Amino acid sequence: MSSDLFDLTGRTALVTGSTRGLGVALARAVGEAGARVIINGRSAEAAEERADAFRSDGLDAVACAFDVSDAASVAAAAPVLAGVDILVNNAGITNRKRILEYSVEEWQQIIDGNLTSTFLVARTVVPGMIERGYGKVINIGSVLSELGRVMNAPYASTKGGIRMLTRAMCAEWAPLGIQANAIGPGYFSTELTKVLEDDAEFSAWLRARIPSGRWAQPEELAGAVVFLASRASDFVNGQILYVDGGLTATV
């Protein structure tokens, strides 16, 4: 099999929420595969700092700061996003509480930050893909696209929504030359999950629950995102690829 199938040279990729967490690993993966990467976050300073770090490593990167959950902010970035071939909808938030403890405002913030944001960015980027007859949309779901868990109801609701939105995107855009798929990460070791990883009781329970027996490292998402961003996945559409050490495969 030719490695050219996975070559992203000449493509432009937008990775939302790529100033920290898993977004950094996703952006680095497509950049190392040859794509020009647009680094995104709400902070212009953080986005430029991350883009500088990528450029120092020899990658082609630019910064574009906007709030993915705000329609006006996304629309203002449209000129920079016009040539995007690969869209990775990664930005997201959570707020762990029990269902009855959430205010309506807290619920809506998570819905907007994770699900509405995916719609807003896609409707800005995908028209250009349709015009060119080519595009890759990669939405970031979660094992909670499939599983329920206490203290995460709105987050799980958004990630279940990502799973179905991905299928709807496939149904509408596949005839136009676009593949829409999702990645469902399991429990990855990042600064955002440190509080869980540092919880000895939870971490022991989790390792016993995962067939692979450990937390994942961010770079272990690289293969999945490059595959779904490349020609290698041209006949893969509407799917969610779980990268979870087997968590969703077992009871």
Side-chain angles (χ1 to χ4, degrees):
M1 180 183 294
S2 170
S3 61
D4 290 346
L5 279 175
F6 301 93
D7 185 8
L8 302 182
T9 301
R11 302 298 186 189
T12 296
L14 166 64
V15 182
T16 66
S18 48
T19 60
R20 61 178 184 157
L22 292 181
V24 177
L26 293 165
R28 180 171 293 279
V30 294
E32 289 179 347
R36 174 178 177 264
V37 185
I38 300 175
I39 301 295
N40 162 258
R42 283 180 293 182
S43 164
E45 182 179 358
E48 192 58 54
E49 183 178 324
R50 183 64 63 185
D52 277 342
F54 275 33
R55 287 191 290 264
S56 295
D57 291 338
L59 303 180
D60 186 357
V62 296
C64 185
F66 60 90
D67 182 349
V68 296
S69 66
D70 181 80
S73 182
V74 176
V80 180
L81 309 181
V84 168
D85 306 293
I86 300 160
L87 168 59
V88 183
N89 281 309
N90 165 74
I93 57 173
T94 191
N95 179 7
R96 296 180 179 88
K97 293 184 178 183
R98 296 190 179 276
I99 294 171
L100 299 182
E101 295 174 347
Y102 287 101
S103 68
V104 172
E105 292 75 19
E106 288 171 327
W107 171 275
Q108 194 62 53
Q109 183 181 36
I110 296 171
I111 299 298
D112 289 345
N114 297 354
L115 185 56
T116 305
S117 61
T118 299
F119 159 72
L120 291 175
V121 178
R123 75 169 185 173
T124 301
V125 170
V126 170
M129 295 180 177
I130 292 173
E131 185 177 333
R132 294 186 296 274
Y134 177 89
K136 301 280 188 173
V137 177
I138 304 166
N139 300 320
I140 303 304
S142 165
V143 291
L144 297 188
S145 297
E146 194 76 30
L147 306 172
R149 176 158 173 74
V150 298
M151 306 285 283
N152 256 327
Y155 181 83
S157 299
T158 62
K159 294 306 182 177
I162 289 293
R163 180 169 174 249
M164 296 311 299
L165 178 57
T166 300
R167 291 180 173 184
M169 289 175 169
C170 164
E172 292 196 14
W173 298 336
L176 305 174
I178 296 166
Q179 288 82 56
N181 291 288
I183 298 173
Y187 285 83
F188 278 72
S189 181
T190 71
E191 65 267 33
L192 302 180
T193 58
K194 190 176 188 309
V195 64
L196 293 177
E197 194 171 4
D198 288 347
D199 182 331
E201 183 179 357
F202 175 82
S203 203
W205 171 84
L206 182 66
R207 289 193 301 271
R209 177 72 176 78
I210 299 171
S212 293
R214 62 178 177 83
W215 287 74
Q217 296 304 310
E219 58 269 20
E220 292 179 290
L221 275 182
V225 73
V226 170
F227 167 64
L228 292 177
S230 70
R231 290 191 301 114
S233 63
D234 278 355
F235 205 60
V236 179
N237 220 333
Q239 305 302 309
I240 182 164
L241 173 57
Y242 290 104
V243 184
D244 64 357
L247 179 59
T248 55
T250 62
V251 294

